[in-house]
Amino acid sequence: MSLRLKLLLLGLATLVLPWEGTRYAREMESALREGEQDSLTQVAQSIASSLQGQTHLLYRDSAPPVTLGPFDLQPVVLTTQPYLDGYPDEWPRDKTAWRHYPNGNNGGFGILTGVFERMLYVLLDVHDDKLVFDAVGANPLDSSTLGERIWLGFTGPDGMEHQVFLSATGAGPVMARRIETGEYRQQTAVTEPRINGAWQPSPAGYRVELRVPLSMLGDRFGVLIDDRDRQGEPATSYGMLSTQDLHTQGRLIAASPDLTTYLSQFLQPGLRLAVASSDGRTLAQADALGQATELGPEPGILARLYRRLLDEPKAHRAIDATAAIYDQKHQQTIGQLRVTQTGERWLTLRDRALTRMLNITLITTIIAVVLMFVFAARLAVRLSRLRGASESALTREGLITTFPETGASDELGDVARGFSTLLGRLNEYTGYLRTLAGKLAHEIRTPLTIVRSSLENLESEGISDGARVYLDRARQGSERLNGILVAMGAATRVEEAIAGAERTRFDIVAVVASAVASYGNAFPHRRFVTDLPSEPIEIEGAPDLIVQLLDKLVDNAVDFSPPGAAIIVRLRSELRFVVLAVENPGPPLAPWIRGRLFESLWQSRTDRDSRPHFGLGLYIVRLIAEFHGGSASAANLPGEAGVSFVVRLARA
Amino acid sequence: MKRLIASVEDEPAIRDNYAAAFAREGYTVRSYGNRAQAMAAFASRLPDLVIIDISLEDEPEGGYELCRQLRSLSAELPIIFLTARDTELDAVSGLRLGADDFLTKDLSLAHLSARVNALFRRVDALRKPHEATQIIKRGPLTLDSERMQVEWEGQVVLLSLTEFWIVFALARHPGHVKNRQQLMDAANVVLDDNTITSHVKRIRRKFQVIDPKFDAVQTVYGMGYRWVE
């Protein structure tokens, strides 16, 4: 896992802010809700107490019903106005609001009543195996042509009983009619236009939907069906009215239309006031729940998104409070007031706070993540630079002098400085090792001089032949020791010679040619082959050093080649370099020594010979090559037949 | 009268060995361990030749200072530096102070006495009139092997003993290439290649002071040097 990814994940930890914020918003919401609940309860109680004793508003007659009689009707409060077409589409689907009256074992009817504004709506669902309409054009009072007939019985506001009937000659609108008895006892059917509706056949029989103004009604209401299977046949009457005299048996327990008006004065947008009877049936309500509360502009896309993310699907969007309406006169609770308030108010408040907070945290998170990513990227770059520097620092004698990041004041700077110090110490130590041979040679020289001068003095003392043998051995040993000392100091002297060398322009071809010419005498058991360009090539440097470099390479080639072998010295010109190569047949280089060949005090010789070796020869080659702006390398010849040492020197 | 050689050397064993060797050769030898002792003795009597080590007891460069003081006392007194220090800088510093030779301690006693004898020979020769037989002439070069003195176009070139012997070896057979070993043998020294190279460089420079176009000492790469007329 890269540093970048880790910091990115850390950055995502800032997402805990919106999570915590959401929780806070929920708490705020519930606090708001509690406050609203309290005030709503206050409102409910004060409205309820203003309704105290106003029994007539709730029940129109003076006595609140204790229990519902078999013929009593309690209309539901309709939220929409039913369209009078004989179909039950606009009516509530609540089955418990229906009352059913059977016709013996043969059908029956169900009745659903409802109040909308100042009208009583009645829906009759009659089960009848045979629907018989009145004869078209006949006198509705002519008993021989009568079909199905529906009687409505009710008391007026003055307590007088009234009966009207509904009959139809076909499906469609229908109007109630009243039977009036004239001066001469003749009966006429007078249209009662205030009571009208629609008659529609249904799969089970027929449906009638009608309305009656509440202003016509007192406290009693009932329906009676005259069922006929044929026109003019004696009817089978059943329903809620007395079959003998059509006396209204049931009560209409409906609130006064003034109750809605009364409630409306307390209405505010986002509020619903409802009065229910003590058994829980709604008597009247004033509704402004759907009206927008003017709190601000529509929430934005983000706000809506947040709400969708936060709210549980069935969140309580509204609160309500109930208060009992007590009647002092009857010493009982006559109903209860329910006040419902939409949640929009505090939801909008919550949303506004939440949206702002979420927006801020979202922006903060994005900025934090981006910053961390950038920071991590920078850190990674710095680290890789540091790694690169530390990797390359020790490949070549620890010569790194400037280390990146040492100026930085942070921990990486500390690391870099630590590295720098470490490398500096390593450099010092390497330098110490490099000069150790020279220093050692210098220190050994004095005691060696004592030994050698003593031996020489001893020689002059006239010693016996037997002792002379040992003297010679001692002298040979001291000569060898001296040779070792010279070799040990060689690197230091070459470094000095390089430091003091003067640069001149010279033809390297001539120098190499003349030097190689002399090797034949020096190494009679090797053949020397040259491959030199015919044109002179000028380089800038010290010809003495070039010869010394060639000496070392040839020396090396001779040491590692069998007697009689051909040593090839090649010189060729490249664009910016002169390439000098010395090739010899012999054992190939192991891959692991190739990089170290040119280091100081390193050698791969395993055989012993009389001359001291300190692994300085190729180190000197490298120093001289570098002095000439070039480099030295070694490679095996094709087929591992031998070794080629290649030196590149910058052209003048 | 026996010649008096003064040896200023802080290592007693080496000092005594040298003293024994020179005594065997018939010289009187006085040895001193530090500069103060040596100067105190030299104040009363100057020796005929002085051999000085550079570092003397607590003075790392005491030899140089001693050389400077001696040169101010006498311009002709032969002075040889014999030291364990073998850097180019040390050699240049010592010779610039007017020493006649700069030798490292890996020199054998035989070589050392050869040099001492040569220096005495030069001192003697300078006191005697010229003997033409000892003079080699090569164009502008006049080489007096007895006085160990070199002139170029009539002007004296001040060479150290080693440098003189190198020039002598080259100029005796002009055109012949002398390799480094041959030059070392001629100069009675054991030196490594780089030291020979720097000796030759110094010789060229000294001639070039008189004649900027001097190029009589030629390098034959891989072989050695030769004198070209």
Side-chain angles (χ1 to χ4, degrees), chain A residues 442 445-446 449-450 452-454 456-457 460-461 482 486 493-494 496-497 502 511 514-515 518 543-544 547-548, chain B residues 11 13-14 17-18 20-21 24 84-88 105-106 108-110 192 194 197 205 219-223:
Chain A
H442 179 83
R445 184 160 279 164
T446 302
T449 305
I450 296 172
R452 293 180 65 192
S453 55
S454 301
E456 284 172 52
N457 278 339
S460 322
E461 289 299 318
N482 194 50
V486 171
R493 277 193 299 278
V494 169
E496 275 169 13
E502 287 167 7
V511 170
S514 112
S518 69
D544 286 332
V547 171
Q548 207 171 344
Chain B
E11 181 62 46
I14 295 177
N17 273 345
Y18 285 164
R24 227 173 17 247
R85 290 158 67 153
D86 61 347
T87 67
E88 181 74 7
K105 279 182 178 170
D106 39 18
S108 71
L109 284 178
D192 67 298
N194 284 307
T197 308
R205 226 170 278 147
T219 312
V220 183
Y221 293 112
M223 292 183 227

Side-chain angles (χ1 to χ4, degrees), chain A residues 101-109 127-130 227 229 236 238:
Chain A
Y101 298 94
N103 178 18
N105 291 326
N106 183 19
F109 72 91
H127 286 241
D128 189 358
D129 45 7
K130 194 159 184 203
D227 179 31
D229 288 338
T236 313
Y238 67 99

Side-chain angles (χ1 to χ4, degrees), chain B residues 151-165:
Chain B
E151 288 177 14
W152 184 259
E153 293 172 341
Q155 292 186 55
V156 175
V157 185
L158 289 172
L159 296 178
S160 77
L161 200 58
T162 308
E163 289 159 3
F164 172 80
W165 276 335

Side-chain angles (χ1 to χ4, degrees), chain A residues 506-562:
Chain A
F506 65 96
D507 173 19
I508 189 173
V509 181
V511 170
V512 170
S514 112
V516 175
S518 69
Y519 293 140
N521 292 331
F523 307 104
H525 300 296
R526 301 288 187 284
R527 283 189 300 121
F528 287 89
V529 181
T530 53
D531 176 13
L532 307 178
S534 51
E535 301 290 313
I537 305 169
E538 289 221 319
I539 69 165
E540 204 170 88
D544 286 332
L545 293 176
I546 295 297
V547 171
Q548 207 171 344
L549 177 149
L550 200 57
D551 284 351
K552 300 291 178 197
L553 288 181
V554 167
D555 213 20
N556 190 69
V558 168
D559 286 352
F560 286 94
S561 61

Side-chain angles (χ1 to χ4, degrees), chain A residues 58-373:
Chain A
L58 269 69
Y59 301 106
R60 300 188 304 166
D61 64 342
S62 49
V66 180
T67 51
L68 219 55
F71 300 112
D72 292 347
L73 284 176
Q74 192 166 34
V76 296
V77 175
L78 298 174
T79 50
T80 52
Q81 181 174 14
Y83 181 65
L84 294 175
D85 54 3
Y87 293 105
D89 301 333
E90 303 88 5
W91 288 80
R93 301 263 181 257
D94 183 13
K95 287 230 168 67
T96 61
W98 287 83
R99 305 218 69 172
H100 296 278
Y101 298 94
N103 178 18
N105 291 326
N106 183 19
F109 72 91
I111 181 167
L112 179 63
T113 50
V115 172
F116 187 82
E117 289 180 344
R118 290 171 171 273
M119 292 286 182
L120 174 73
Y121 288 82
V122 180
L123 179 66
L124 289 170
D125 189 7
V126 186
H127 286 241
D128 189 358
D129 45 7
K130 194 159 184 203
L131 169 58
V132 183
F133 285 114
D134 282 11
V136 179
N139 182 355
L141 296 181
D142 180 354
S143 59
S144 64
T145 62
L146 293 183
E148 312 285 353
R149 183 153 293 195
I150 297 166
W151 288 95
L152 303 180
F154 55 89
T155 54
D158 52 358
M160 289 281 289
E161 289 218 19
H162 300 275
Q163 287 86 31
V164 296
F165 69 90
L166 291 158
S167 62
T169 52
V174 67
M175 230 177 258
R177 274 178 283 200
R178 190 173 71 234
I179 297 174
E180 285 196 356
T181 309
E183 253 179 287
Y184 307 101
R185 300 187 70 67
Q186 81 276 24
Q187 292 187 318
T188 48
V190 180
T191 307
E192 174 55 76
R194 290 178 292 176
I195 302 173
N196 57 7
W199 193 309
Q200 207 65 249
S202 78
Y206 56 94
R207 261 194 294 265
V208 177
E209 192 177 10
L210 59 94
R211 73 174 172 207
V212 184
L214 278 171
S215 55
M216 290 175 70
L217 299 176
D219 61 344
R220 283 174 182 272
F221 184 85
V223 175
L224 185 86
I225 305 279
D226 280 352
D227 179 31
R228 289 185 175 86
D229 288 338
R230 223 163 353 118
Q231 284 179 354
E233 197 187 58
T236 313
S237 297
Y238 67 99
M240 305 156 72
L241 303 181
S242 155
T243 47
Q244 278 83 40
D245 54 2
L246 297 179
H247 173 70
T248 311
Q249 292 173 306
R251 294 177 296 175
L252 179 68
I253 305 167
S256 160
D258 295 330
L259 184 57
T260 310
T261 318
Y262 182 82
L263 289 177
S264 294
Q265 63 183 325
F266 299 105
L267 205 58
Q268 278 173 8
L271 215 59
R272 181 171 65 199
L273 304 170
V275 172
S277 64
S278 44
D279 59 354
R281 290 195 167 251
T282 307
L283 292 171
Q285 73 173 23
D287 191 353
L289 208 56
Q291 289 181 29
T293 48
E294 286 170 25
L295 256 171
E298 271 286 286
I301 297 170
L302 271 178
R304 263 181 276 170
L305 180 74
Y306 294 151
R307 183 183 279 193
R308 179 165 296 182
L309 285 176
L310 287 178
D311 286 340
E312 294 110 55
K314 286 186 177 175
H316 299 291
R317 286 299 185 79
I319 49 168
D320 45 20
T322 51
I325 303 167
Y326 187 68
D327 188 47
Q328 210 114 41
K329 199 163 77 187
H330 294 91
Q331 299 277 311
Q332 68 183 60
T333 303
I334 54 171
Q336 58 183 2
L337 181 78
R338 176 184 292 266
V339 184
T340 309
Q341 194 182 43
T342 171
E344 278 305 315
R345 224 178 126 77
W346 71 82
L347 275 179
T348 310
L349 276 176
R350 184 203 69 176
D351 283 354
R352 214 185 282 175
L354 196 63
T355 305
R356 258 178 66 182
M357 189 206 58
L358 284 178
N359 281 345
I360 287 170
T361 51
L362 199 66
I363 291 167
T364 312
T365 303
I366 289 171
I367 290 175
V369 166
V370 166
L371 280 181
M372 282 193 186
F373 196 74

Side-chain angles (χ1 to χ4, degrees), chain A residues 636-647:
Chain A
N636 287 326
L637 287 174
E640 309 222 315
V643 180
S644 169
F645 283 85
V646 179
V647 175

